[in-house]
Structure formats: structure tokens, C-alpha cells
Amino acid sequence: MTPATLARAATLERLIEAEQARFLRLHPRSAAAWREGRRHFLYGAPSHWMRRWAGGFPVYIDTAQGAHVRDIDGRDYIDFCLGDTGAMCGHAPEAVTLAVTQQIGRGATMMLPTEDSLWIGAELSRRFGPRYWTLTTSATDANRAAIRIARMITGRSKVLVFSGCYHGGVDEAHVEIRDGRVGLRNMIHPNAVDHDAVTKIVEFNDIAAVEAALVAGDIACVLTEPVMTNFGMIPVADGFHKALRDVTRRAGTVLIIDETHTLSCGPGGYTALHGLEPDILVAGKAIAGGIPAGIFGLDQVTAERLWRIVPPVNPRQRQSAHLGFGGTLAGGALAVAAMRAVLEEVLTEPAYAGMFSHAERLAGRARGLIAQNELPWHVTQIGARIEIMFMPSRPRNGADVIAGRQPDLETLMHAFYMNEGILITPFHGMLLTCPATSSADVDQHGDVFERFGKLVGEAGVT
């Protein structure tokens, strides 16, 4: 490292330590709760994900309503994290609260369908195009099922993913390309999965690499987001989706599109907005307003291929349709009731229009402050989702993100934001608006971002 690089790193470390010290002073009850939690939970909290906040420990939440949360120290936050999209409907939306309250009194799950599911099936096809749907408990479960189906109908073993992707707890997608080599990502440790046998990986937006990977004829499916959102936002190159659809069809490879994050692009996600034609569509997180749920839908051709292997109805063979996926809580009455409320009353066209308007204002002010202060950063906005990245231009792929990302600066921003009453996704610089987000919320974010820019500008660590 050069002396300048070392000095910059030392300054960032000092600023992070100062923000974390301020965080500790502001959150004594959460700090005490964290100490107690570490006595009982494997990684200090009910989910190890909950420890991944930059203050040094998570805040413990008392209440959440709309686009705001309050912690047990009595501090209020504007929430642009929204449960990393799980709360994209906002917290405790009235329609979902009412639907869940009514259904819980009639039974949460019976491993039998309710009439609400009929409405949901029709509505999903209206939004995403005609498909045959299955409900799951998460997008991870939906992706696992989609991969299994692709292998069943193709007889092939491998899954092609893009470096930097995230598709939940799916082993096939736990890889990335770093320094020209394929390895496990996100500090994931080997667990005896032979990734050479089950996975191929290329850079996003590189259609030539996709085509070359498909030549061997051993890839059952390509699993992708329409826009990469979990590694910093990576926009799709012009013509990429059309080319991807063309090459997968020629290769006999199933195309799975995971809309879990890009549901923020509209009622039918990015797929409906841009006329994409996946063989299998997956979504989760926000689809049931915070109640665990996911969906996947097969188009007609793909469903018929599966039905040739396992017919849809065979009452004389009760185990004939197990298929290797599912779960006793999947499609439960409580999740179905919540999902209907979300689709019918919360994530509506007018709600999306308001979310987009606020996202555009938030991104616009951030871009203005970046330009005004000549900061080497950029902002991407797609639908209701915004990404602030500490690099001068948009990345084209995961390699660009790895080369240009500044994790210490991200850590500083996250700690500073929490101390100033703003929550954003703790893994990178992603923000999301919800139907309850207000103009005042957007304005307050702009003020905090301006103060953050001044802090790092004066310290010379932009």
C-alpha cells in the first residue's frame, strides 16, 4: 500500500470507531439486549443475519409502522431497508394486519387449500402472465424447487449463475469469480458440495460467456435476477435479456428469473414491465407482506414437460407428486390470506406510482449532491429501488463491483446513517421506498446524505 492509501484507511478506521462509539452511547438498552442475546443464540440474535449491522450490534425494535420503526431505546428511524425488501409493503399495512388477524382465528395452516388461493392463482397470472403456480415458504424454497424441476425435465445436472448473484440459501448459487477463479462468496465455507459438478458461473451481461457455457449441453437452467441487486445494483445491458432467452432456448436450457427484489419495479415486476419470457418465474419476500412466503410459476410448455414425468393428479398413488420439494407450511392459510391482501390492496398500481415518485426524488437529490461536491460516486434507480455506490460509474458485472467497491466507506455510511435516524440495507448502499414513504422521509434522507458527504469530504476519504 502507498502512504496515501494507508493514511486513508487509518482515517476511515478512526471515523468508523467514532460513529460506533456514538452508536453505543445512543443505544444502551439495545447494547444490553445484545449482550443477553449472545448468551442464548448461536450468533447473538434469532437469525445470524441480524448481527450484520455496522453499529457493532443490532438495534432491538419495539414497534414498526409504515415506513418508520422505533427501537427499545426510544429512537425513531426512517426505514429504507424495509427488511431487505421483506417489508416492501411497509410495516403493519392495515389490509394485511386485518387479513392475518381474521385468518389466524380460523386456522393458520391445515395442509389443505382455502378459497383465497383460487383468487391468488388468477391474480398472479394476471400480473406475471399465464402460469401454473406453486406457493412456498420462501424464495429460497422456490428457487430450489425450480432448479429441481429443471433437472427433472432436462436430465442435466448443472446450474448457470452470474458472479455476484444471490438467490437465497441455494448451494448452486454460493459462488463467485474472484481474481479469475471460481470460489465461494460471502464468507461461505465449504460444505462438501462439489460446485464443479453442479454449477457454472459467468459474469453478468456477458452473453458470449453464457453461450460458451451452454455448448457442453450439461446446463439444466440459468438462474438470474432481471437486474442484479445484491452486489450493488448492476443494470442489465441493452439486448441482454433477449439474447439470453434466445440462447437458452436453442440450448434446451430452462430460464429461471428470480423477481424477489425486482418486484419493486411494478405489479408484475421487471418481467411484466419489459416483456421477459422466463420458463419459470420466482418471487418471495414482499409477496405476503412480511409473512414468510414465496412463489414459482411454470409456463405452459414447462408445466407440460413436468406433467409428462409426474401427472398432476393421481389419487391412487398418494406419494406420486412429492417431487422432492414442498413443505407442510407451504401455501398455508395464513400466508395465503396475507398474500391476497398484498396483491389486492397494498402493492397496487397507485401504490407503485407513489413509490416510484419518491424513489426518483431521493435518487435525484443524491445525484445533485454528488455532482455539486464532485464526489466519485453514482446513484442507480430502478423502480422503487435506489443504490448509492462509491465508484464513479455503474458496474457492468460482479468483477467491476469487486474492483471498485469500498467496504469501509460503506460501513461508515451505515453507522452514520443509523446514528442520524436512517436505516438502509446493511450489506451495501441499497434503499427502497414503500407505499407509506413520505416526501418528508425523502427530504430527511437527503439532509443526512448531505451531512455524510460533508463528513467524508472534509476528511478526504471520498
Side-chain angles (χ1 to χ4, degrees), residues 68-230:
H68 292 251
V69 300
R70 173 173 289 189
D71 68 22
I72 61 174
D73 285 288
R75 297 185 59 81
D76 294 318
Y77 306 84
I78 302 169
D79 190 0
F80 291 105
C81 172
L82 295 168
D84 192 23
T85 304
M88 191 176 78
C89 295
H91 300 290
E94 184 178 358
V96 176
T97 300
L98 179 61
V100 168
T101 301
Q102 291 177 342
Q103 184 59 52
I104 199 74
R106 299 197 299 266
T109 188
M110 293 75 74
M111 210 178 73
L112 289 166
T114 61
E115 287 187 309
D116 277 345
S117 66
L118 304 177
W119 185 94
I120 286 172
E123 176 63 10
L124 291 174
S125 288
R126 185 189 73 81
R127 289 186 178 225
F128 297 105
R131 293 181 177 274
Y132 293 93
W133 299 95
T134 296
L135 306 189
T136 65
T137 54
S138 68
T140 289
D141 288 342
N143 279 320
R144 286 180 182 143
I147 290 169
R148 179 174 284 272
I149 288 169
R151 286 173 169 152
M152 289 173 67
I153 64 178
T154 65
R156 302 173 182 178
S157 61
K158 293 187 177 181
V159 178
L160 188 147
V161 295
F162 295 104
S163 185
C165 72
Y166 179 72
H167 298 288
V170 177
D171 281 310
E172 290 86 346
H174 286 166
V175 290
E176 69 178 4
I177 302 170
R178 189 177 287 270
D179 298 326
R181 302 180 64 178
V182 176
L184 295 177
R185 68 183 301 266
N186 248 11
M187 298 177 66
I188 295 170
H189 286 228
N191 63 347
V193 174
D194 182 358
H195 284 92
D196 289 335
V198 298
T199 302
K200 286 188 180 179
I201 182 168
V202 299
E203 294 288 0
F204 191 58
N205 285 322
D206 189 344
I207 197 64
V210 174
E211 202 157 12
L214 295 178
V215 167
D218 57 352
I219 295 179
C221 60
V222 173
L223 174 60
T224 185
E225 290 185 278
V227 174
M228 289 187 69
T229 64
N230 277 287

Side-chain angles (χ1 to χ4, degrees), residues 11 35 82 89 95 199 231 242 344-345 360 377 394 428:
T11 300
R35 289 192 296 272
L82 295 168
C89 295
T199 302
F231 203 46
K242 181 180 184 306
E344 191 169 23
E345 301 185 60
E360 288 165 4
W377 307 341
R394 294 178 176 183
H428 46 94

